[in-house]
């Protein structure tokens, strides 16, 4: 299962970002001294009819990623929910609580047993009924075919108790099973159709959402048609055309020219442009993602805690990074998990302290013995290769500011851009990596903490390993009391900060540029997973 949402788009030109980048770097260094449906969900998501007469004019959307076919087994389950094609049994509301979605109700029978009542009259997009047996087969398909799904669900048994009731028994106490079921791995698909269609199913999966796939090409195009059988009513717009425009500048230009109705994930400078236009508006979601730097602990220098801590102390103040790179469109990161998901009152992230960084390097045996400005130990200079990728335009400018600051501490840093970030990280040979990732998986901090920081975790690309953290994650998983759960998760996050497991930098805003011809999209769900729905209309 994919906890990260970064895809691997086709090669493209590097987007424009900050004409005077060098001046910005200098300025920063100077500044551093050296259960009801959520109100934000539209009518279609709450089960009410969206429209009796859908518009024939297509809704045109520009997005940076369509990295995989929409079948969860192909890795594109996130996109399936994002664009209204797939649904899970439960979803996250605007407070990140799990509420029924394709399910009508979910109840805990005992600490390991949950009974799920399915929505009356729900149909798959091919007209087949959504029965308990069909849901059972869909969940079993996910457990068998989606990486990490088996461990996440932890099901010892899945049983169709009657036509509309599915019973899940977990292998240990699982108080957050409703949250776990919101993960895109557990989108309900017609497993019988998947078996019959074979490989063709991935391109046109049969799900239950308000839209169904008419055409799909990876990292190019997605065409959707309104699902006439949708349990919540027919969508107000009958056709949606989604185009991949990986360059941020292309999305805002398409919006300005009228070729797009919605531009997904505006960059900070594009927010200013859209806000100034009388024909456009900007709709914001909460910052639920983190920009951070992976540190590769498989590299000898970074296996030393003191070196990682030195890097953390040598990075400029986070509020300065937000101001200079994000133009204020975000929050400085105080931890790996944004406060909308995990609110830790006393988190202590490493402060910018160049002298402390130099002291830690000296304790680790580093000194600039040849006077070239780069410290070394045993004749080996401390040089870092940091990879970044252009699909998230803020990352490389932020890396350049960090590069200049690390230089003042005696650390040389080379920045290398790659079009295929996940493949590059898997290949190894890097020291650091700039990365952007949503941290709202399942609406609870456990999902992201487990994926990014457990030994061998699905997103633990830096090789961080701590017996203590693994044990604390095991202890956190079954905790049901919300206050106790938050306290334990905050303790885990503080240890990760102290050990520089990754270096959190910012929580960027997530913004949509929207034509004023679009109706039904004045507010966004705080989690951009829940984007397109049947309530959108187009004049």
């Amino acid at each position: 299962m994919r906890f990260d949402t970064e895809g691997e788009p086709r090669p493209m030109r590097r987007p424009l970002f900050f004409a005077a980048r060098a001046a910005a770097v200098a300025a920063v260094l100077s500044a551093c001294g050296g259960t009801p449906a959520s109100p934000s969900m539209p009518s279609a998501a709450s089960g009410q009819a969206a429209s009796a007469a859908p518009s024939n004019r297509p809704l045109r959307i520009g997005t940076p990623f369509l990295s995989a076919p929409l079948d969860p087994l192909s890795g594109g389950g996130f996109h399936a929910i994002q664009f209204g094609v797939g649904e899970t049994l439960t979803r996250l509301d605007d407070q990140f609580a799990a509420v029924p979605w394709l399910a009508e109700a979910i109840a805990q029978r005992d600490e390991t047993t949950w009974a799920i009542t399915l929505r009356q009259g729900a149909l798959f997009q091919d007209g087949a009924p959504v029965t308990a047996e069909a849901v059972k087969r869909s969940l079993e398909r996910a457990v068998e075919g989606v990486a990490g799904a088996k461990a996440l669900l932890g099901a010892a048994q899945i049983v169709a108790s009657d036509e509309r009731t599915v019973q899940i028994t977990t292998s240990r106490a699982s108080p957050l099973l409703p949250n776990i079921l919101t993960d895109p791995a557990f989108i309900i698909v017609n497993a019988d159709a998947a078996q019959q269609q074979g490989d063709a199913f991935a391109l046109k999966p049969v799900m239950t959402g308000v839209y169904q796939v008419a055409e799909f090409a990876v990292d190019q195009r997605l065409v959707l048609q309104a699902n006439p059988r949708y349990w919540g009513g027919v969508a107000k717009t009958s056709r949606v055309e989604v185009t991949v425009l990986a360059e941020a500048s292309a999305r805002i230009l398409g919006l300005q020219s009228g070729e797009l109705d919605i531009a997904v994930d505006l960059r900070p400078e594009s927010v200013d442009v859209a806000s100034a236009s009388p024909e456009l508006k900007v709709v914001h979601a909460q910052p639920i993602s983190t920009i951070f730097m992976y540190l590769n602990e498989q590299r000898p220098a970074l296996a030393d805690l003191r070196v990682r801590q030195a890097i953390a102390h040598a990075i400029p103040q986070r509020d300065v990074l937000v101001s200079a790179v994000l133009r204020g469109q975000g929050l400085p990161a105080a931890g790996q998990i944004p406060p909308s998901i995990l609110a830790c009152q006393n988190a202590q992230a490493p402060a910018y302290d160049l002298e402390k960084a130099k002291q830690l390097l000296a304790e680790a045996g580093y000194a600039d013995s040849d006077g070239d400005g780069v410290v070394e130990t045993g004749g080996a200079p401390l040089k870092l290769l940091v990879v970044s990728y252009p699909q998230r335009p803020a990352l490389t400018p932020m890396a350049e500011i960090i590069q200049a600051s690390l230089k003042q501490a005696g650390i040389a840093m080379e920045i290398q851009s790659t079009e295929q970030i996940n493949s590059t990280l898997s290949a190894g040979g890097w020291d650091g990596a700039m990365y952007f990732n949503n941290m709202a998986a399942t609406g609870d901090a456990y999902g992201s903490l487990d994926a990014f920081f457990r030994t061998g975790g699905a997103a633990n690309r830096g090789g961080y390993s701590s017996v203590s953290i693994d044990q604390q994650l095991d202890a956190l998983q079954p905790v049901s009391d919300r206050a106790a759960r938050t306290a334990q998760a905050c303790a885990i996050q503080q240890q990760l900060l102290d050990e520089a497991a990754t270096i959190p930098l910012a929580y960027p805003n997530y913004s949509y540029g929207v034509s004023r011809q679009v109706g039904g999209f004045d507010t966004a769900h705080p989690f951009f997973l829940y984007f397109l729905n049947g309530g959108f209309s187009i004049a």
Side-chain angles (χ1 to χ4, degrees):
M1 174 180 41
R2 293 184 58 149
F3 283 87
D4 55 312
T5 60
E6 297 302 68
E8 303 234 323
R10 294 167 182 266
M12 62 183 186
R13 298 187 310 276
R14 181 173 177 172
L16 298 176
F17 198 94
F18 290 164
R21 184 179 293 173
V25 171
V28 169
L29 293 178
S30 175
C32 290
T35 302
S38 161
S40 65
M41 293 297 289
S43 58
S46 59
Q48 302 171 12
S51 172
S55 169
N56 290 323
R57 149 79 151 90
L59 178 68
R60 301 160 304 177
I61 299 171
T63 187
F65 293 112
L66 276 176
S67 54
L70 276 57
D71 181 6
L73 267 63
S74 300
F78 191 98
H79 298 312
I81 294 178
Q82 182 185 25
F83 291 109
V85 177
E87 297 173 314
T88 44
L89 293 168
T90 55
R91 64 173 177 83
L92 299 174
D93 68 9
D94 60 359
Q95 299 300 313
F96 295 97
V99 296
W101 195 7
L102 190 56
E104 186 175 277
I106 180 167
Q108 187 170 18
R109 298 278 174 81
D110 55 48
E111 67 175 11
T112 62
T113 305
W114 291 83
I116 302 165
T117 303
L118 301 178
R119 192 169 292 279
Q120 180 75 44
L123 300 173
F124 287 107
Q125 291 154 348
D126 62 0
V130 179
T131 64
E133 185 61 36
V135 169
K136 173 181 179 290
R137 288 197 293 270
S138 178
L139 293 175
E140 289 173 341
R141 178 178 185 264
V143 166
E144 294 170 3
V146 181
K150 182 176 182 179
L152 181 65
L153 188 61
Q157 187 179 47
I158 303 173
V159 175
S161 302
D162 57 41
E163 188 72 9
R164 292 180 55 214
T165 306
V166 178
Q167 181 172 292
I168 299 177
T169 303
T170 56
S171 56
R172 59 177 177 172
S174 185
L176 291 183
L177 184 69
N179 293 74
I180 290 170
L181 289 172
T182 68
D183 191 279
F186 304 117
I187 290 172
I188 301 304
V189 308
N190 187 333
D192 289 344
Q195 185 175 16
Q196 293 167 6
Q197 295 174 22
D199 293 343
F201 185 83
L203 297 179
K204 290 188 178 181
V206 180
M207 299 180 176
T208 63
V210 68
Y211 285 104
Q212 57 195 42
V213 177
E215 177 186 337
F216 177 81
V218 171
D219 279 324
Q220 295 182 54
R221 180 175 169 84
L222 170 66
V223 178
L224 305 170
Q225 295 287 354
N227 173 13
R229 303 179 178 91
Y230 185 57
W231 59 265
V234 180
K236 290 184 176 181
T237 301
S238 62
R239 180 180 172 90
V240 179
E241 299 173 355
V242 183
T243 302
V244 174
L245 297 169
E247 294 188 30
S249 57
R251 296 197 296 280
I252 187 62
L253 287 173
L255 196 63
Q256 288 178 295
S257 69
E259 295 177 5
L260 295 178
D261 301 306
I262 300 175
V264 175
D265 192 15
L266 292 185
R267 297 299 84 207
E269 68 276 16
S270 298
V271 169
D272 296 339
V273 171
S275 298
S277 171
E279 288 82 27
L280 306 175
K281 62 183 178 182
V282 178
V283 177
H284 297 287
Q286 286 187 29
I288 53 89
S289 299
T290 304
I291 292 175
F292 62 95
M293 182 186 286
Y294 275 116
L295 295 178
N296 187 354
E297 296 187 28
Q298 306 304 309
R299 309 284 270 187
L302 296 175
D304 191 321
L305 172 60
R306 295 164 297 186
V307 174
R308 300 198 306 275
Q309 290 174 330
I311 294 169
H313 281 295
I315 291 177
Q317 295 172 354
R318 309 311 191 255
D319 56 344
V320 178
L321 293 177
V322 169
S323 176
V325 178
L326 300 181
R327 300 189 180 188
Q329 298 291 320
L331 299 170
Q336 285 83 359
I337 311 296
S340 54
I341 305 299
L342 180 64
C344 300
Q345 300 300 320
N346 301 307
Q348 298 292 323
Y352 175 70
D353 187 338
L354 211 53
E355 293 308 312
K356 178 68 172 177
K358 292 177 179 178
Q359 176 188 336
L360 286 164
L361 291 174
E363 292 174 3
Y366 286 89
D368 183 12
S369 58
D370 58 7
D372 66 350
V374 178
V375 296
E376 68 272 342
T377 183
L382 185 52
K383 295 183 178 180
L384 305 179
L385 173 61
V386 174
V387 294
S388 183
Y389 53 107
Q391 291 88 354
R392 299 291 183 186
L395 299 186
T396 298
M398 202 170 284
E400 290 174 347
I401 292 172
I402 293 171
Q403 178 187 48
S405 189
L406 292 185
K407 183 178 180 180
Q408 296 183 3
I411 303 172
M413 174 176 153
E414 176 188 350
I415 302 170
Q416 184 179 96
S417 182
T418 174
E419 304 285 352
Q420 309 292 332
I421 183 61
N422 292 333
S423 297
T424 298
L425 297 186
S426 296
W430 52 276
D431 298 295
M434 302 296 293
Y435 211 83
F436 170 107
N437 213 93
N438 102 71
M439 295 294 178
T442 73
D444 181 80
Y446 174 82
S448 293
L449 290 173
D450 187 75
F452 282 88
F453 303 107
R454 182 183 290 278
T455 301
N460 185 352
R461 295 185 172 88
Y464 173 80
S465 181
S466 166
V467 173
S468 171
I469 290 294
D470 291 348
Q471 291 173 341
Q472 290 179 71
L473 287 169
D474 288 340
L476 174 63
Q477 193 275 338
V479 174
S480 58
D481 180 78
R482 182 61 60 180
R485 192 170 184 86
T486 297
Q488 289 181 227
C490 287
I492 292 172
Q493 178 170 257
Q494 187 59 58
Q495 182 174 334
L496 296 172
L497 289 169
D498 294 342
E499 297 180 359
T502 62
I503 301 178
L505 302 170
Y507 309 131
N509 288 353
Y510 198 90
S511 303
Y512 304 89
V514 184
S515 166
R516 293 196 179 274
Q517 292 186 340
V518 175
F521 191 35
D522 295 318
T523 58
H525 191 283
F527 188 5
F528 52 84
L529 173 66
Y530 304 103
F531 164 48
L532 182 63
N533 52 70
F536 288 35
S537 63
I538 185 72

